[in-house]
Amino acid sequence: MSEIAFFGAVEIGLVYALVALGVYLSFRVLDFPDLTVDGSFPLGAAVCATLLVAGVNPWIASLVAALAGSLAGLVTATLNVRFKILHLLASILTMIALFSVNLRVMGRPNVALLMQDTVLTPFYGLGLADHVVRPLVVLVVVVAVVLLLARFLNSEFGLAMRATGVNARMARAQGVETDFHTYTGMALSNGLCALAGALFAQTNGFADVTTGIGTIVVGLAAVIVGETVLPARAMLWALVGCVVGSILYRLAVQVALSADAIGLQASDLNLVTAVLVAVALILPRMRLKAASKKREAAR
Amino acid sequence: MITVNGIHVTFGRGTPLEKHALRGVDLTIPEGQFVTVIGSNGAGKSTFLGALAGDVIAETGSIAIDGVDVTRWATPKRASLVARVFQDPMVGSCTALTIEENMALAAARGRRRGLGFALRGDRRRHFRDRIAELGLGLENRLHDRMGLLSGGQRQAVSLLMATLAGSKILLLDEHTAALDPGTAEFVLGLTRRIVEENRLTTLMVTHSMRQALDYGDRTVMLHEGRIVLDVSGEQRAGLDVPHLLALFAKQRGGEDITDDSLLIG
């Protein structure tokens, strides 16, 4: 793997680490399988790119993109909490709708960011190579998000949100407004995914409606890889695990794709991802079975 | 003080499975009284407790706790007045969270939850002191997940959690039914101690007539969604399980009790 390919993989891993954190919030903390992210990620990219083309400050554009994602999360949460639509279906409805919304936002299928200033522009002139600057800037954002999120989940409010996902009945008996925590968590989760989309657009120089396909699987893969390599119960380390998982996942994909002997090409990415996630989900089960067989044999 | 006036609850109205679970329950419980509730399966005991807690909203009638009309309040809102311990220890606690996190959750019951740390040094020390009172050696296991505790330990911690925040009433829904006899005895003793120390107005649903007479100051029997027996004071002190059965049979117009589980214990 060349140096540029390595930093490229780290960069994209860091961008998707924000998706992983969002997916961790919905899947793990709230126990809400949310596919909205396939729509909120390109929504973030679309909103950010459109605003950048219109000459808006890149940080403000990124923030507005995140807010747009939160709104998408709220729509899914409302469909589920208020109108009792099954969570998976509710999120698929929002995701499908967002495809049209994203086309409307951009006015066409993709927007190129060629001459526009991005959050990265001020850092390009500092003497480091561009392919090093990009992951560094994203890293700073990711570290800030991890610290804030860990602080939030360790607060009384955050603890109530975790209880909502673990045992809603008990949480309600302890006075937790579980509906409100579901709304908040879903807004936060999709806000992070949209922020990832905004950074994706700025680091890659374009926004495209199709970039959302499979976002959820990639996010989930990162969460699972993170939980495997860094099995931690403390909130901060679980979140760090998501980030590490996301980077490792991207490096693994890069290795697989650049090893000519295997004969994979870039278009095989989704297949490779699906197989990786399936294996990661099956392995713990196999390990349990093997362990119980071993115990039986020892008897 | 709890005032219940003519509440009705029907499940699955208009379906073949329609069940009129409560058919006009009236009950007034003065401050500090410990009431035991008995009845056979399907008598409406759990529904009644659910109606007090807010899980089930009464169709007609009213419920007031400490003079506040809570008939239309949902569970989280009522939680400021009501503490509960569930039958299934898995339901009453978050097994995936640590013991101290469960305690922190309970300690904030009825309070606005802000962005301050859920577990601060002084709170940890307070939790450690309180859990040491149980005498189970759990004070050194505060970082363990709740799911690692035995059923009895979890019910004991659940009882303690019910007292961490102030409450007007304590609802115990067959909280010893899932435990072995020895552990049930321990948890019941703890229940008595905690109720007395905190002078809580308490409702305890139980399947055992023995428990119903041994604990508390008053016994209420539910049958088919109505209160059919209400004894306290000297009348209750003179009662034994066979008497209670006879009284119950008389109330039901000579109908025999067919539910064996009522006779056990």
Side-chain angles (χ1 to χ4, degrees):
Chain A
M1 199 192 306
S2 71
E3 189 198 321
I4 289 188
F6 173 80
F7 279 107
V10 170
E11 172 195 322
I12 196 80
L14 281 167
V15 168
Y16 275 89
L18 294 173
V19 174
L21 292 169
V23 169
Y24 182 84
L25 263 184
S26 55
F27 271 67
R28 289 290 188 262
V29 173
L30 283 176
D31 196 20
F32 191 126
D34 176 30
L35 310 188
T36 316
V37 290
D38 271 28
S40 47
F41 181 85
L43 175 68
V47 169
C48 182
T50 308
L51 289 176
L52 287 181
V53 170
V56 175
N57 173 295
W59 289 105
I60 292 176
S62 305
L63 191 70
V64 174
L67 288 177
S70 302
L71 216 58
L74 283 179
V75 171
T76 301
T78 307
L79 289 175
N80 172 248
V81 173
R82 179 82 180 76
F83 299 108
K84 310 286 174 217
I85 298 175
L86 181 71
H87 36 37
L88 265 177
L89 184 57
S91 67
I92 290 173
L93 289 175
T94 314
M95 178 187 91
I96 286 289
L98 281 174
F99 190 83
S100 301
V101 172
N102 294 340
L103 280 170
R104 278 280 183 177
V105 167
M106 295 193 289
R108 58 199 142 156
N110 53 65
V111 169
L113 299 172
L114 295 175
M115 309 307 285
Q116 278 75 24
D117 275 359
T118 67
V119 292
L120 300 154
T121 313
F123 303 99
Y124 280 142
L126 298 180
L128 281 168
D130 286 2
H131 66 268
V132 181
V133 168
R134 282 196 299 267
L136 271 180
V137 173
V138 182
L139 177 70
V140 171
V141 175
V142 169
V143 167
V145 168
V146 164
L147 291 177
L148 283 172
L149 203 54
R151 175 68 184 76
F152 171 75
L153 288 171
N154 280 323
S155 72
E156 287 198 323
F157 191 90
L159 181 61
M161 186 180 284
R162 286 153 66 196
T164 299
V166 177
N167 186 347
R169 182 144 184 245
M170 180 270 195
R172 288 170 64 79
Q174 301 298 348
V176 175
E177 299 279 357
T178 49
D179 290 354
F180 179 67
H181 282 87
T182 305
Y183 284 120
T184 314
M186 290 291 289
L188 211 53
S189 162
N190 283 284
L192 286 174
C193 292
L195 180 61
L199 289 178
F200 181 88
Q202 295 177 72
T203 49
N204 287 276
F206 71 93
D208 190 296
V209 279
T210 58
T211 47
I213 298 170
T215 308
I216 180 61
V217 184
V218 175
L220 203 53
V223 171
I224 294 169
V225 172
E227 282 169 349
T228 314
V229 297
L230 202 80
R233 274 197 292 106
M235 225 55 257
L236 178 64
W237 294 113
L239 298 180
V240 170
C242 293
V243 177
V244 172
S246 180
I247 296 172
L248 285 180
Y249 163 77
R250 283 295 167 178
L251 287 173
V253 167
Q254 191 61 47
V255 167
L257 291 181
S258 56
D260 293 331
I262 315 175
L264 288 170
Q265 42 188 2
S267 56
D268 297 331
L269 182 62
N270 281 1
L271 179 65
V272 172
T273 305
V275 170
L276 261 178
V277 171
V279 169
L281 288 172
I282 294 167
L283 266 183
R285 228 169 251 272
M286 303 272 279
R287 223 181 283 159
L288 275 181
K289 250 194 192 157
S292 69
K293 265 201 189 133
K294 220 184 236 172
R295 271 200 301 276
E296 242 168 61
R299 231 178 257 154
Chain B
M1 166 100 174
I2 308 171
T3 317
V4 178
N5 262 323
I7 56 169
H8 282 261
V9 170
T10 309
F11 293 119
R13 184 183 285 285
T15 68
L17 294 172
E18 179 170 310
K19 164 101 180 135
H20 201 163
L22 292 181
R23 306 163 181 252
V25 174
D26 298 292
L27 191 66
T28 301
I29 303 173
E31 186 94 48
Q33 198 173 52
F34 185 165
V35 180
T36 57
V37 182
I38 47 173
S40 49
N41 286 328
K45 308 179 300 267
S46 290
T47 308
F48 182 53
L49 232 57
L52 287 175
D55 287 354
V56 181
I57 298 290
E59 290 150 15
T60 52
S62 68
I63 299 170
I65 298 172
D66 230 34
V68 183
D69 186 344
V70 298
T71 316
R72 299 277 139 215
W73 289 18
T75 308
K77 196 169 177 196
R78 280 196 215 185
S80 57
L81 305 169
V82 180
R84 294 163 86 182
V85 180
F86 293 89
Q87 172 176 359
D88 183 352
M90 307 283 278
V91 175
S93 57
C94 282
T95 48
L97 300 183
T98 63
I99 297 175
E100 57 182 1
E101 282 169 340
N102 271 280
M103 292 179 82
L105 263 179
R109 182 166 46 76
R111 216 162 33 71
R112 215 181 63 82
R113 289 163 208 264
L115 292 174
F117 277 115
L119 289 162
R120 291 191 312 260
D122 55 331
R123 243 180 246 174
R124 278 209 165 100
R125 274 190 296 280
H126 176 61
F127 292 159
R128 186 182 296 271
D129 293 345
R130 291 298 308 271
I131 208 163
E133 292 170 16
L134 294 177
L136 293 171
L138 294 177
E139 56 275 18
N140 299 317
R141 297 183 57 187
L142 283 172
H143 298 293
D144 278 0
R145 281 194 302 114
M146 198 74 173
L148 294 175
L149 300 188
S150 71
Q153 288 173 328
R154 237 181 287 170
Q155 289 304 68
V157 175
S158 296
L159 266 171
L160 182 67
M161 279 160 59
T163 66
L164 287 177
S167 62
K168 299 295 180 189
I169 61 174
L170 174 63
L171 303 179
L172 308 167
D173 188 1
E174 299 194 45
H175 67 307
T176 61
L179 307 177
D180 66 79
T183 314
E185 199 65 31
F186 165 75
V187 171
L188 280 167
L190 185 68
T191 306
R192 177 179 273 162
R193 201 181 89 204
I194 280 177
V195 168
E196 277 170 8
E197 277 173 9
N198 298 282
R199 282 185 288 281
L200 291 164
T201 309
T202 305
L203 256 94
M204 177 171 89
V205 168
T206 169
H207 231 90
S208 148
M209 294 225 174
R210 183 74 269 150
Q211 277 179 19
L213 291 176
D214 284 355
Y215 294 86
D217 333 294
R218 178 180 175 188
T219 299
V220 166
M221 184 182 268
L222 279 168
H223 188 73
E224 290 180 348
R226 288 188 189 88
I227 290 178
V228 292
L229 189 74
D230 184 349
V231 288
S232 55
E234 279 185 20
Q235 190 195 3
R236 183 173 179 268
L239 276 181
D240 206 348
V241 172
H243 294 127
L244 196 57
L245 285 171
L247 265 174
F248 178 71
K250 205 169 87 190
Q251 287 288 340
R252 299 304 314 151
E255 183 187 321
D256 268 343
I257 292 192
T258 50
D259 186 354
D260 288 343
S261 59
L262 269 180
L263 309 176
I264 299 170

